[in-house]
């Protein structure tokens, strides 16, 4: 693979972040859930990078078709890292606590407590269409995030079995 | 046209080499949970495999791994490190979705709150920050350490770049 194309693939998070910064400022995008916009920017970046490799390596340089697979997998993994960094900035409790303390708001004085932590997540999941509110009760839906959550949950149980014995 | 080429042949081997080191990480965490989790994560998923590769290449035991294979191994490791906080801190979103999956009839907000805060509370996250030395001080006089300031500064700058305010948490 040519070095310039290799670096182009490696810079997938930069393309995703740049696209995200542009799209996020569009009024229509501001009305959408933030994670949905971030996810779409990652998908578009991966598609652009993979197609660029397809066109350049496969059609112009008559290179190996598996290089397109390599570019697709590498750019997906890179975009996934970017998405998680964004997700941390949006949803991580520890990041919020750090930023509040930086602004001089102690955890005791913060309006962000266990109640708001739960409510923010319920609202966010409803907005993303992952759960729904029916007759005052929150109901789960079949979704990719639900499946991913079960995999994460079981992996957590594998990693920290003592944590679950107490419950 | 002359161009520099980077060897990405047999890149898929990098996907296979990751598995045994992930299994090692699982085994260590289950049997002897480390005190410095992030450091040991880097040890098992990055440093150890890289060390083995360097010795392999240095002693010429066999064919060298391509840049593509090494990159894919590191990317898998980096992705796992990126999602590791969800395991370490018992992600409320993960637990919430699994909780609702176990109760198809649904749960009220109070029931969700009672179940979630049983397994994951904010005071535990403040303790995590102190244990990781991102916060220093005690009681009401908590301050950011130098690393805490770096991390906070990064996220503030990142959010500004995206044109967003602080995340909701």
């Amino acid at each position: 693979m040519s070095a310039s194309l290799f670096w182009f693939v490696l810079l997938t998070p930069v393309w995703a972040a740049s696209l995200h910064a542009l799209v996020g400022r569009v009024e229509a995008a501001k009305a959408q859930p933030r994670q949905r916009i971030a996810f779409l920017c990652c998908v578009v970046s991966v598609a652009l990078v993979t197609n660029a490799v397809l066109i350049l390596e496969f059609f112009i340089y008559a290179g190996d078709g598996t290089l397109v697979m390599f570019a697709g997998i590498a750019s997906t993994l890179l975009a996934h890292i970017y998405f998680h960094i964004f997700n941390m900035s949006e949803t991580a409790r520890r990041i919020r606590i750090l930023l509040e303390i930086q602004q001089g708001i102690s955890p005791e004085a913060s309006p962000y407590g266990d109640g708001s932590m739960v409510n923010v997540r319920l609202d966010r999941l409803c907005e993303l269409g992952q759960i729904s509110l029916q007759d005052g009760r929150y109901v789960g839906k079949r979704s990719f995030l639900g499946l991913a959550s079960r995999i994460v949950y079981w992996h957590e149980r594998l990693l920290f079995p003592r944590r679950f014995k107490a419950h | 046209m002359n161009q520099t080429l980077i060897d990405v042949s047999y890149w898929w081997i990098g996907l296979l080499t990751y598995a045994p080191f992930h299994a090692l990480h699982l085994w260590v965490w289950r049997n002897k949970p480390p005190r410095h989790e992030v450091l040991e994560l880097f040890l098992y998923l990055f440093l150890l495999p890289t060390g083995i590769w360097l010795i392999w290449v240095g002693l010429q035991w066999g064919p060298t791994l391509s840049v593509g294979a090494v990159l894919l191994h590191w990317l898998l490791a980096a992705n796992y490190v990126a999602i590791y906080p969800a395991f370490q801190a018992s992600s409320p979103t993960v637990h919430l979705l699994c909780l609702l999956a176990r109760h198809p009839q649904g749960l009220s907000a109070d029931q969700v709150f009672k179940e979630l805060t049983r397994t994951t509370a904010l005071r535990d996250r403040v303790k995590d920050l102190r244990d990781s030395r991102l916060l220093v001080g005690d009681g009401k006089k908590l301050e950011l350490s130098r690393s805490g300031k770096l991390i906070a500064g990064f996220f503030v700058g990142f959010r500004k770049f995206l044109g967003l305010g602080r995340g909701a948490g």
Side-chain angles (χ1 to χ4, degrees):
Chain A
M1 178 180 254
S2 67
S4 47
L5 213 50
F6 182 81
W7 281 104
F8 181 68
V9 171
L10 223 54
L11 289 172
T12 300
V14 174
W15 314 137
S18 304
L19 184 62
H20 193 187
L22 281 171
V23 169
R25 286 172 162 87
V26 171
E27 281 307 316
K30 286 180 186 175
Q32 293 293 320
R34 290 173 178 174
Q35 276 128 322
R36 186 175 292 156
I37 297 299
F39 175 75
L40 288 173
C41 289
C42 288
V43 167
V44 169
S45 303
V46 169
L48 284 174
V49 167
T50 311
N51 278 296
V53 172
L54 175 71
I55 292 166
L56 289 170
E57 280 286 342
F58 199 56
F59 290 117
I60 295 179
Y61 297 129
D64 184 354
T66 61
L67 289 180
V68 181
M69 273 180 69
F70 166 76
I73 293 171
S75 61
T76 300
L77 290 172
L78 286 159
H80 193 245
I81 291 170
Y82 170 77
F83 179 79
H84 273 289
I85 292 174
F86 168 75
N87 206 39
M88 275 179 68
S89 78
E90 183 69 23
T91 69
R93 295 158 289 167
R94 285 177 282 190
I95 300 300
R96 169 137 185 186
I97 292 168
L98 275 181
L99 295 181
E100 285 191 339
I101 293 176
Q102 191 187 42
Q103 291 171 339
I105 304 170
S106 68
E108 291 81 16
S110 168
Y112 184 62
D114 285 338
S116 47
M117 176 192 74
V118 173
N119 287 332
V120 156
R121 277 154 180 79
L122 288 169
D123 290 342
R124 188 181 288 142
L125 288 170
C126 281
E127 238 189 348
L128 288 168
Q130 302 298 309
I131 64 176
S132 62
L133 182 59
Q134 297 171 16
D135 300 325
R137 297 174 80 83
Y138 289 96
V139 181
K141 288 180 176 179
R142 284 190 147 206
S143 64
F144 174 73
L145 193 54
L147 174 64
S149 292
R150 280 197 283 284
I151 294 170
V152 170
Y153 176 78
W154 283 104
H155 194 275
E156 184 187 339
R157 286 190 76 129
L158 265 180
L159 269 178
F160 304 109
R162 289 173 191 82
R163 199 184 274 181
F164 291 84
K165 276 183 189 164
H167 303 305
Chain B
M1 179 170 75
N2 282 334
Q3 51 176 341
T4 308
L5 295 177
I6 291 186
D7 178 20
V8 296
S9 57
Y10 298 101
W11 49 266
W12 47 268
I13 291 177
L15 303 176
L16 299 177
T17 59
Y18 176 75
F21 293 99
H22 190 91
L24 176 63
H25 147 64
L26 275 177
W27 185 85
V28 171
W29 258 242
R30 283 178 69 84
N31 290 285
K32 200 182 167 193
R35 285 187 65 190
H36 305 288
E37 292 177 56
V38 176
L39 281 176
E40 290 209 27
L41 213 51
F42 272 94
L43 172 67
Y44 292 116
L45 299 183
F46 288 94
L47 297 179
L48 188 59
T50 306
I52 292 172
W53 287 328
L54 288 173
I55 293 170
W56 178 280
V57 167
L59 295 177
Q60 296 178 329
W61 278 340
T64 61
L65 281 175
S66 70
V67 171
V70 173
L71 176 68
L72 279 184
H73 178 115
W74 282 349
L75 285 179
L76 279 174
N79 269 272
Y80 180 73
V81 170
I83 64 173
Y84 181 77
F87 306 124
Q88 184 202 36
S90 279
S91 163
T93 301
V94 165
H95 284 257
L96 198 165
L97 285 169
C98 291
L99 183 67
L100 291 178
R102 290 198 297 272
H103 296 88
Q105 72 281 14
L107 291 170
S108 67
D110 285 340
Q111 286 171 314
V112 170
F113 176 79
K114 193 175 160 191
E115 282 297 320
L116 272 195
T117 49
R118 199 161 59 87
T119 55
T120 171
L122 275 176
R123 64 177 175 275
D124 297 329
R125 303 292 73 79
V126 177
K127 182 180 177 303
D128 286 343
L129 289 168
R130 290 176 62 193
D131 290 346
S132 339
R133 298 199 183 112
L134 294 175
L135 286 181
V136 292
D138 49 30
K140 291 179 183 172
K141 289 185 183 175
L142 285 171
E143 285 178 355
L144 268 59
S145 65
R146 191 194 280 183
S147 337
K149 283 178 187 168
L150 266 173
I151 289 175
F154 166 76
F155 279 103
V156 168
F158 178 60
R159 297 288 292 190
K160 271 191 189 159
F161 171 72
L162 295 178
L164 298 170
R166 187 184 61 198

